[in-house]
Amino acid sequence: MLCNSMAAAGVATGYVLALFLHLNSHLPLHPARLSTIIATVGLFYAVHLTVIFYVLLVVWQLLAREVFSPAWISVGVLTLLCGMASAAGAVLMWNNAGAFALVTDSATGLALERSAVVLAASALLFALVGLTRWAAPRARGLWATMFLVVAGASVAAPLALRGRGTPPVLEARPIDATFASARGEPAPRVTVIAIDAASLDLITRAAAEGRLPNFGRILDAGAVRHLATLHPTSPEAVWAAVATGKLPQKNGVRSAAIYQITGGGDALQLLPVDCFAHGLQRFGFLIEHPHTSATFRTRTLWSIASTNGFSVGVVGWPLTQPAPPVRGYLVADTYHRLANTALGLDDPSALYPLDLQNDALGAMEAATAEVPAVVNASLGGALPGRADAREESAARTDRIYDAIAQAMARLRPAQLTLTRYQSLDPIGHYYLRYALPSEFGDVTDEERRRLGGVLERHYASIDGAIGRAMAALGPDDLLVVVSGYGMEPLAFGKRLIERVIGDPEISGTHEGAPDGFLLAYGASVARGRAQTPASVADVTPTILYYLGLPIGRDMDGYARTDLFQRSFTEQRPITFIPTYDR
């Protein structure tokens, strides 16, 4: 049984490796270049699939009327296991083709779909081999040969459809070092507050009960839109699309990070979904390397605004280190980790310009001097049996960037400001169950009393920042609150898996790409909520339109003129240029 499980796992591992190679089309099909991925990724899946197949055979033995004794290599057993593996592989290929439709090119998507068809056909052929064995039990040579041909072809065909590999040819975008003269005429100010993993349903409910008053003011007097996000969902890819108006194929940010195989070799850009690929990182097979600002292959909103005479201020945005020059200031989302270290003092690349270093550091120190009530609430709600610092760390990060944003706004007022708050994502992963106990059913009254308000209190901190932004608005100004993606309860089956082999405390996820939202508030905004969702790529074109700048025709997003009153849109037609990248 063990030998047959290992043999079937070898075939199934071939399917998974083919999927990895499809998603990472830059990898060449050369034995020397693939030896590391086979020895690490292949070994990881071979071991786990062997265990799964062995358990299936044990269950089969327990449920069978008669105990069977397979040969060391049993075509009958392998036909069954490989047929199941190829059917599962077909579903896996098809799901990944859909999941990465916005991330991969059309050739990769087509190859994945065709590979799914090949594996589905292989499952039928494995069934045919099983019928041949049953109909002609003495013709062992025939059905053994048929099995070998089908098994080999089921692995070789997806690799052939994938091709030898096509290294991407990407031209690096030059850093914008010079800017045109500042705009002389008065211009409106735009304030963008970006929130990771916020839930519009939770906000609406709490605002209706008066607990989030500033969110409530926008819901009552502003415009509300759902935002279709990206799948697979990661803050880096989503906020890159928000900042550029372009999807990952154009902006260059396709995943949360670059993954280096521990044993060396080529890096992986994408990890497949629905096959626990992130377990490779958890168990040390892959090392995660974060993206930098050099990953962008197109211009960002703050770059475009700077070169067109607008002053900008960016605080806490991903992929902004090294900090590029802007007309104004930029504080990367890595500043809080580097500022107090020797590395940060020697290489202050997380902030621009450098003469703001002392002011930013002072704001950070002031923000961390005291632990406010929201953090005490989080710590007081520590999960049973241990002190948990996750919530304090996430809240402290938001306090730091909120304090820096306020300090920078006093020192260098900007016409376009973007500030990101990231605490709701890490906190939501662990505290969503207490905010939505009815979705889980296993939350005790004591847990609900102690922990039920933790997540909402972090919403309240952001609500305070929104209130300050609303108070500073002028008659021609615009406030935009954006959540690039939402958070939803982890499915019951995945919660069971996490309790067995993962983190049993996780209850929230954004793997299913729950929609984000966009709230707009200002004198020119048309009040109301539209049913047709916008896209995360629509944010930059909409802001460019509001500032009176043309929209790049190569942008994937659209200017959402339906956010504004007709009197405003009639006086400001949409204009275009071919691209901002040249």
mmCIF file of all heavy atoms in Angstrom, residues 283-316:
data_model
loop_
_atom_site.group_PDB
_atom_site.id
_atom_site.type_symbol
_atom_site.label_atom_id
_atom_site.label_comp_id
_atom_site.label_asym_id
_atom_site.label_seq_id
_atom_site.Cartn_x
_atom_site.Cartn_y
_atom_site.Cartn_z
ATOM 1 N N PHE A 283 6.828 26.042 6.096
ATOM 2 C CA PHE A 283 7.746 24.987 6.481
ATOM 3 C C PHE A 283 9.181 25.242 6.030
ATOM 4 O O PHE A 283 10.027 24.361 6.134
ATOM 5 C CB PHE A 283 7.261 23.648 5.926
ATOM 6 C CG PHE A 283 5.995 23.154 6.563
ATOM 7 C CD1 PHE A 283 4.802 23.178 5.865
ATOM 8 C CD2 PHE A 283 5.989 22.692 7.864
ATOM 9 C CE1 PHE A 283 3.620 22.730 6.443
ATOM 10 C CE2 PHE A 283 4.813 22.246 8.456
ATOM 11 C CZ PHE A 283 3.630 22.265 7.754
ATOM 12 N N GLY A 284 9.447 26.428 5.506
ATOM 13 C CA GLY A 284 10.822 26.799 5.214
ATOM 14 C C GLY A 284 11.345 26.411 3.853
ATOM 15 O O GLY A 284 12.553 26.560 3.597
ATOM 16 N N PHE A 285 10.502 25.931 2.948
ATOM 17 C CA PHE A 285 10.957 25.590 1.608
ATOM 18 C C PHE A 285 11.153 26.829 0.737
ATOM 19 O O PHE A 285 11.930 26.798 -0.216
ATOM 20 C CB PHE A 285 9.967 24.646 0.920
ATOM 21 C CG PHE A 285 9.974 23.256 1.491
ATOM 22 C CD1 PHE A 285 9.168 22.915 2.567
ATOM 23 C CD2 PHE A 285 10.790 22.274 0.956
ATOM 24 C CE1 PHE A 285 9.168 21.638 3.089
ATOM 25 C CE2 PHE A 285 10.804 20.995 1.466
ATOM 26 C CZ PHE A 285 9.987 20.673 2.544
ATOM 27 N N LEU A 286 10.417 27.896 1.046
ATOM 28 C CA LEU A 286 10.515 29.144 0.291
ATOM 29 C C LEU A 286 10.834 30.297 1.240
ATOM 30 O O LEU A 286 10.393 30.313 2.394
ATOM 31 C CB LEU A 286 9.208 29.453 -0.440
ATOM 32 C CG LEU A 286 8.742 28.474 -1.522
ATOM 33 C CD1 LEU A 286 7.411 28.929 -2.094
ATOM 34 C CD2 LEU A 286 9.773 28.331 -2.623
ATOM 35 N N ILE A 287 11.592 31.245 0.743
ATOM 36 C CA ILE A 287 11.919 32.463 1.489
ATOM 37 C C ILE A 287 11.266 33.633 0.768
ATOM 38 O O ILE A 287 11.435 33.807 -0.435
ATOM 39 C CB ILE A 287 13.437 32.678 1.577
ATOM 40 C CG1 ILE A 287 14.099 31.479 2.280
ATOM 41 C CG2 ILE A 287 13.760 33.970 2.333
ATOM 42 C CD1 ILE A 287 15.611 31.539 2.255
ATOM 43 N N GLU A 288 10.512 34.420 1.516
ATOM 44 C CA GLU A 288 9.783 35.542 0.926
ATOM 45 C C GLU A 288 10.650 36.792 0.884
ATOM 46 O O GLU A 288 11.220 37.206 1.900
ATOM 47 C CB GLU A 288 8.519 35.819 1.733
ATOM 48 C CG GLU A 288 7.644 36.923 1.167
ATOM 49 C CD GLU A 288 6.380 37.103 1.952
ATOM 50 O OE1 GLU A 288 5.484 36.244 1.858
ATOM 51 O OE2 GLU A 288 6.285 38.106 2.690
ATOM 52 N N HIS A 289 10.750 37.390 -0.302
ATOM 53 C CA HIS A 289 11.453 38.658 -0.479
ATOM 54 C C HIS A 289 10.437 39.715 -0.886
ATOM 55 O O HIS A 289 9.786 39.584 -1.937
ATOM 56 C CB HIS A 289 12.536 38.532 -1.554
ATOM 57 C CG HIS A 289 13.631 37.567 -1.202
ATOM 58 N ND1 HIS A 289 14.577 37.838 -0.235
ATOM 59 C CD2 HIS A 289 13.918 36.333 -1.672
ATOM 60 C CE1 HIS A 289 15.408 36.825 -0.133
ATOM 61 N NE2 HIS A 289 15.027 35.890 -0.989
ATOM 62 N N PRO A 290 10.272 40.759 -0.082
ATOM 63 C CA PRO A 290 9.242 41.760 -0.400
ATOM 64 C C PRO A 290 9.577 42.548 -1.655
ATOM 65 O O PRO A 290 10.743 42.698 -2.036
ATOM 66 C CB PRO A 290 9.241 42.668 0.847
ATOM 67 C CG PRO A 290 10.591 42.479 1.454
ATOM 68 C CD PRO A 290 10.985 41.065 1.168
ATOM 69 N N HIS A 291 8.530 43.048 -2.287
ATOM 70 C CA HIS A 291 8.704 43.932 -3.433
ATOM 71 C C HIS A 291 9.274 45.278 -2.974
ATOM 72 O O HIS A 291 9.183 45.653 -1.800
ATOM 73 C CB HIS A 291 7.364 44.175 -4.128
ATOM 74 C CG HIS A 291 6.805 42.977 -4.809
ATOM 75 N ND1 HIS A 291 7.399 42.396 -5.896
ATOM 76 C CD2 HIS A 291 5.676 42.247 -4.564
ATOM 77 C CE1 HIS A 291 6.679 41.363 -6.292
ATOM 78 N NE2 HIS A 291 5.629 41.248 -5.506
ATOM 79 N N THR A 292 9.828 46.018 -3.901
ATOM 80 C CA THR A 292 10.294 47.376 -3.655
ATOM 81 C C THR A 292 9.652 48.301 -4.675
ATOM 82 O O THR A 292 8.915 47.860 -5.570
ATOM 83 C CB THR A 292 11.827 47.463 -3.769
ATOM 84 O OG1 THR A 292 12.209 47.247 -5.144
ATOM 85 C CG2 THR A 292 12.506 46.423 -2.886
ATOM 86 N N SER A 293 9.965 49.585 -4.567
ATOM 87 C CA SER A 293 9.403 50.544 -5.526
ATOM 88 C C SER A 293 9.911 50.292 -6.936
ATOM 89 O O SER A 293 9.281 50.717 -7.910
ATOM 90 C CB SER A 293 9.755 51.976 -5.099
ATOM 91 O OG SER A 293 11.162 52.143 -4.989
ATOM 92 N N ALA A 294 11.028 49.567 -7.069
ATOM 93 C CA ALA A 294 11.549 49.239 -8.397
ATOM 94 C C ALA A 294 10.684 48.212 -9.116
ATOM 95 O O ALA A 294 10.850 48.006 -10.324
ATOM 96 C CB ALA A 294 12.984 48.725 -8.281
ATOM 97 N N THR A 295 9.769 47.568 -8.395
ATOM 98 C CA THR A 295 8.896 46.574 -9.028
ATOM 99 C C THR A 295 7.914 47.232 -9.989
ATOM 100 O O THR A 295 7.498 46.619 -10.973
ATOM 101 C CB THR A 295 8.127 45.786 -7.955
ATOM 102 O OG1 THR A 295 9.044 45.242 -7.005
ATOM 103 C CG2 THR A 295 7.343 44.639 -8.579
ATOM 104 N N PHE A 296 7.523 48.461 -9.699
ATOM 105 C CA PHE A 296 6.563 49.145 -10.570
ATOM 106 C C PHE A 296 7.128 49.268 -11.976
ATOM 107 O O PHE A 296 8.265 49.703 -12.176
ATOM 108 C CB PHE A 296 6.247 50.548 -10.041
ATOM 109 C CG PHE A 296 5.257 50.577 -8.919
ATOM 110 C CD1 PHE A 296 5.621 51.035 -7.664
ATOM 111 C CD2 PHE A 296 3.952 50.157 -9.116
ATOM 112 C CE1 PHE A 296 4.715 51.080 -6.628
ATOM 113 C CE2 PHE A 296 3.026 50.190 -8.079
ATOM 114 C CZ PHE A 296 3.412 50.646 -6.835
ATOM 115 N N ARG A 297 6.303 48.908 -12.969
ATOM 116 C CA ARG A 297 6.676 49.070 -14.369
ATOM 117 C C ARG A 297 5.879 50.172 -15.039
ATOM 118 O O ARG A 297 5.845 50.270 -16.264
ATOM 119 C CB ARG A 297 6.455 47.736 -15.111
ATOM 120 C CG ARG A 297 7.238 46.574 -14.547
ATOM 121 C CD ARG A 297 8.727 46.835 -14.614
ATOM 122 N NE ARG A 297 9.489 45.803 -13.919
ATOM 123 C CZ ARG A 297 10.800 45.859 -13.732
ATOM 124 N NH1 ARG A 297 11.476 46.900 -14.165
ATOM 125 N NH2 ARG A 297 11.425 44.887 -13.091
ATOM 126 N N THR A 298 5.244 50.993 -14.245
ATOM 127 C CA THR A 298 4.449 52.087 -14.790
ATOM 128 C C THR A 298 4.400 53.202 -13.764
ATOM 129 O O THR A 298 4.804 53.015 -12.604
ATOM 130 C CB THR A 298 3.028 51.601 -15.134
ATOM 131 O OG1 THR A 298 2.321 52.619 -15.817
ATOM 132 C CG2 THR A 298 2.260 51.212 -13.881
ATOM 133 N N ARG A 299 3.937 54.355 -14.152
ATOM 134 C CA ARG A 299 3.908 55.517 -13.276
ATOM 135 C C ARG A 299 2.785 55.385 -12.258
ATOM 136 O O ARG A 299 1.714 54.853 -12.531
ATOM 137 C CB ARG A 299 3.706 56.786 -14.105
ATOM 138 C CG ARG A 299 4.809 57.082 -15.103
ATOM 139 C CD ARG A 299 5.927 57.853 -14.499
ATOM 140 N NE ARG A 299 5.478 59.145 -14.000
ATOM 141 C CZ ARG A 299 5.284 60.225 -14.772
ATOM 142 N NH1 ARG A 299 5.490 60.158 -16.077
ATOM 143 N NH2 ARG A 299 4.900 61.358 -14.227
ATOM 144 N N THR A 300 3.018 55.923 -11.067
ATOM 145 C CA THR A 300 2.032 55.938 -10.004
ATOM 146 C C THR A 300 1.298 57.273 -9.969
ATOM 147 O O THR A 300 1.722 58.260 -10.596
ATOM 148 C CB THR A 300 2.701 55.694 -8.650
ATOM 149 O OG1 THR A 300 3.710 56.698 -8.446
ATOM 150 C CG2 THR A 300 3.357 54.315 -8.610
ATOM 151 N N LEU A 301 0.229 57.306 -9.214
ATOM 152 C CA LEU A 301 -0.578 58.524 -9.105
ATOM 153 C C LEU A 301 0.254 59.684 -8.583
ATOM 154 O O LEU A 301 0.161 60.812 -9.094
ATOM 155 C CB LEU A 301 -1.781 58.262 -8.189
ATOM 156 C CG LEU A 301 -2.666 59.460 -7.852
ATOM 157 C CD1 LEU A 301 -3.261 60.064 -9.113
ATOM 158 C CD2 LEU A 301 -3.772 59.040 -6.877
ATOM 159 N N TRP A 302 1.076 59.436 -7.539
ATOM 160 C CA TRP A 302 1.862 60.535 -6.977
ATOM 161 C C TRP A 302 2.957 60.999 -7.936
ATOM 162 O O TRP A 302 3.326 62.166 -7.940
ATOM 163 C CB TRP A 302 2.450 60.148 -5.627
ATOM 164 C CG TRP A 302 3.111 58.805 -5.571
ATOM 165 C CD1 TRP A 302 4.404 58.504 -5.862
ATOM 166 C CD2 TRP A 302 2.490 57.584 -5.174
ATOM 167 N NE1 TRP A 302 4.643 57.169 -5.685
ATOM 168 C CE2 TRP A 302 3.488 56.570 -5.243
ATOM 169 C CE3 TRP A 302 1.207 57.223 -4.744
ATOM 170 C CZ2 TRP A 302 3.241 55.235 -4.931
ATOM 171 C CZ3 TRP A 302 0.965 55.890 -4.422
ATOM 172 C CH2 TRP A 302 1.956 54.916 -4.517
ATOM 173 N N SER A 303 3.456 60.084 -8.767
ATOM 174 C CA SER A 303 4.436 60.473 -9.773
ATOM 175 C C SER A 303 3.790 61.344 -10.853
ATOM 176 O O SER A 303 4.350 62.374 -11.258
ATOM 177 C CB SER A 303 5.057 59.228 -10.403
ATOM 178 O OG SER A 303 5.822 59.549 -11.534
ATOM 179 N N ILE A 304 2.626 60.937 -11.312
ATOM 180 C CA ILE A 304 1.921 61.704 -12.345
ATOM 181 C C ILE A 304 1.554 63.091 -11.834
ATOM 182 O O ILE A 304 1.758 64.105 -12.519
ATOM 183 C CB ILE A 304 0.663 60.936 -12.798
ATOM 184 C CG1 ILE A 304 1.048 59.619 -13.479
ATOM 185 C CG2 ILE A 304 -0.181 61.798 -13.729
ATOM 186 C CD1 ILE A 304 -0.126 58.705 -13.747
ATOM 187 N N ALA A 305 1.025 63.143 -10.608
ATOM 188 C CA ALA A 305 0.636 64.436 -10.050
ATOM 189 C C ALA A 305 1.858 65.335 -9.853
ATOM 190 O O ALA A 305 1.797 66.550 -10.124
ATOM 191 C CB ALA A 305 -0.089 64.231 -8.721
ATOM 192 N N SER A 306 2.975 64.766 -9.399
ATOM 193 C CA SER A 306 4.178 65.566 -9.172
ATOM 194 C C SER A 306 4.683 66.191 -10.454
ATOM 195 O O SER A 306 5.054 67.372 -10.491
ATOM 196 C CB SER A 306 5.278 64.704 -8.556
ATOM 197 O OG SER A 306 4.943 64.277 -7.252
ATOM 198 N N THR A 307 4.714 65.402 -11.524
ATOM 199 C CA THR A 307 5.235 65.925 -12.782
ATOM 200 C C THR A 307 4.268 66.886 -13.458
ATOM 201 O O THR A 307 4.645 67.554 -14.425
ATOM 202 C CB THR A 307 5.547 64.779 -13.751
ATOM 203 O OG1 THR A 307 4.378 63.968 -13.922
ATOM 204 C CG2 THR A 307 6.681 63.918 -13.225
ATOM 205 N N ASN A 308 3.061 66.992 -12.946
ATOM 206 C CA ASN A 308 2.093 67.942 -13.501
ATOM 207 C C ASN A 308 1.849 69.117 -12.564
ATOM 208 O O ASN A 308 0.831 69.812 -12.686
ATOM 209 C CB ASN A 308 0.772 67.231 -13.799
ATOM 210 C CG ASN A 308 0.827 66.417 -15.075
ATOM 211 O OD1 ASN A 308 0.624 66.929 -16.166
ATOM 212 N ND2 ASN A 308 1.136 65.136 -14.939
ATOM 213 N N GLY A 309 2.772 69.342 -11.630
ATOM 214 C CA GLY A 309 2.738 70.550 -10.833
ATOM 215 C C GLY A 309 1.993 70.469 -9.524
ATOM 216 O O GLY A 309 1.906 71.469 -8.799
ATOM 217 N N PHE A 310 1.438 69.313 -9.145
ATOM 218 C CA PHE A 310 0.720 69.173 -7.885
ATOM 219 C C PHE A 310 1.686 68.720 -6.793
ATOM 220 O O PHE A 310 2.524 67.835 -7.016
ATOM 221 C CB PHE A 310 -0.409 68.153 -8.007
ATOM 222 C CG PHE A 310 -1.560 68.609 -8.844
ATOM 223 C CD1 PHE A 310 -1.609 68.336 -10.199
ATOM 224 C CD2 PHE A 310 -2.604 69.320 -8.277
ATOM 225 C CE1 PHE A 310 -2.670 68.752 -10.981
ATOM 226 C CE2 PHE A 310 -3.673 69.748 -9.050
ATOM 227 C CZ PHE A 310 -3.704 69.468 -10.404
ATOM 228 N N SER A 311 1.542 69.275 -5.610
ATOM 229 C CA SER A 311 2.299 68.784 -4.463
ATOM 230 C C SER A 311 1.582 67.572 -3.884
ATOM 231 O O SER A 311 0.353 67.522 -3.831
ATOM 232 C CB SER A 311 2.436 69.873 -3.402
ATOM 233 O OG SER A 311 1.154 70.318 -2.973
ATOM 234 N N VAL A 312 2.355 66.563 -3.464
ATOM 235 C CA VAL A 312 1.770 65.310 -2.995
ATOM 236 C C VAL A 312 2.386 64.933 -1.654
ATOM 237 O O VAL A 312 3.513 65.313 -1.330
ATOM 238 C CB VAL A 312 1.993 64.162 -4.014
ATOM 239 C CG1 VAL A 312 1.407 64.508 -5.361
ATOM 240 C CG2 VAL A 312 3.469 63.836 -4.154
ATOM 241 N N GLY A 313 1.622 64.158 -0.889
ATOM 242 C CA GLY A 313 2.094 63.588 0.363
ATOM 243 C C GLY A 313 1.604 62.160 0.469
ATOM 244 O O GLY A 313 0.396 61.915 0.422
ATOM 245 N N VAL A 314 2.523 61.208 0.583
ATOM 246 C CA VAL A 314 2.185 59.781 0.620
ATOM 247 C C VAL A 314 2.752 59.195 1.909
ATOM 248 O O VAL A 314 3.950 59.350 2.190
ATOM 249 C CB VAL A 314 2.769 59.038 -0.598
ATOM 250 C CG1 VAL A 314 2.333 57.583 -0.586
ATOM 251 C CG2 VAL A 314 2.356 59.717 -1.894
ATOM 252 N N VAL A 315 1.908 58.524 2.688
ATOM 253 C CA VAL A 315 2.333 57.959 3.969
ATOM 254 C C VAL A 315 1.818 56.532 4.083
ATOM 255 O O VAL A 315 0.616 56.278 3.960
ATOM 256 C CB VAL A 315 1.812 58.798 5.160
ATOM 257 C CG1 VAL A 315 2.197 58.143 6.488
ATOM 258 C CG2 VAL A 315 2.356 60.216 5.095
ATOM 259 N N GLY A 316 2.744 55.584 4.307
ATOM 260 C CA GLY A 316 2.370 54.210 4.616
ATOM 261 C C GLY A 316 1.934 53.375 3.439
ATOM 262 O O GLY A 316 1.323 52.323 3.637
#
